[in-house]
Amino acid sequence: RWWSMIKMINETTQKEMWKLINQAMEEWRSKWYLAEQINTKFKQYNEVRSALIAHQEIALAYGESTRQQFMQHAWEFQQIGWKRAQTQNDDKVRAEHYQNQEDGWIEADKAFSGTGDMTFPFGFNCRCTVAYRLFKPDDPAPFVWFTSLYQLNA
């Protein structure tokens, strides 16, 4: 999704950017390292733009990896899982991000209604987060289920 947030970028630049991002992620580099690599490779981007691109990509990777990890966890426990979006609740929050928050707890495999995204960030410079849980908030099963799991493993 990151390339849809960067303005005035062609397909060749996207491919080169993708290589830099993948390499930085595989090597567990910092966002500052990635920003420096972007700035060095693409002289037309100033340091601020390079840092913003790097920051956004790290945020996207974190949001997606969190979602995938939770979905794997839910699958292992044979649950759908639930999630909800949380904004910063201030005047900088976009209307569609508030709509995501208004969705409340939704099934984890559904997209949020405001942005159509599965997880945060919901757009460039988004400060939202997403909370996950295995069971519906009003479901008493988690205590019973974990108690019986404990007894089975005791």
Side-chain angles (χ1 to χ4, degrees):
R1 290 182 344 186
W2 63 269
W3 55 86
S4 67
M5 298 178 195
I6 303 172
K7 303 297 182 204
M8 298 171 51
I9 186 172
N10 64 31
E11 188 175 338
T12 303
T13 304
Q14 285 179 7
K15 288 178 183 176
E16 290 299 314
M17 189 81 70
W18 183 246
K19 287 179 191 174
L20 289 175
I21 291 166
N22 275 340
Q23 181 182 5
M25 296 262 183
E26 288 172 3
E27 296 175 2
W28 290 88
R29 299 293 189 141
S30 71
K31 70 178 177 184
W32 306 117
Y33 172 85
L34 179 56
E36 181 180 308
Q37 295 302 305
I38 292 169
N39 193 27
T40 301
K41 177 76 176 179
F42 303 101
K43 298 292 184 192
Q44 73 268 25
Y45 295 158
N46 63 34
E47 290 179 17
V48 172
R49 188 171 189 202
S50 297
L52 287 173
I53 291 168
H55 177 77
Q56 187 65 27
E57 180 55 29
I58 298 298
L60 286 164
Y62 178 72
E64 183 58 25
S65 65
T66 300
R67 186 187 77 79
Q68 287 181 18
Q69 185 178 25
F70 174 78
M71 294 304 287
Q72 177 65 33
H73 190 63
W75 180 81
E76 289 169 358
F77 285 100
Q78 300 177 3
Q79 296 294 316
I80 295 171
W82 298 85
K83 65 182 178 184
R84 73 170 180 204
Q86 179 64 50
T87 70
Q88 295 297 315
N89 290 315
D90 61 22
D91 61 348
K92 296 177 183 175
V93 176
R94 289 163 263 194
E96 58 271 18
H97 297 214
Y98 272 125
Q99 180 57 51
N100 289 347
Q101 181 173 282
E102 290 298 316
D103 288 348
W105 288 102
I106 63 173
E107 292 179 2
D109 62 349
K110 305 290 185 225
F112 288 102
S113 66
T115 61
D117 294 314
M118 295 296 287
T119 192
F120 68 97
F122 301 123
F124 187 73
N125 227 11
C126 175
R127 301 170 297 138
C128 299
T129 189
V130 172
Y132 295 91
R133 61 181 296 135
L134 282 176
F135 301 92
K136 204 171 182 178
D138 58 351
D139 188 351
F143 178 76
V144 174
W145 192 84
F146 283 112
T147 301
S148 62
L149 177 66
Y150 174 76
Q151 290 171 348
L152 288 173
N153 291 325

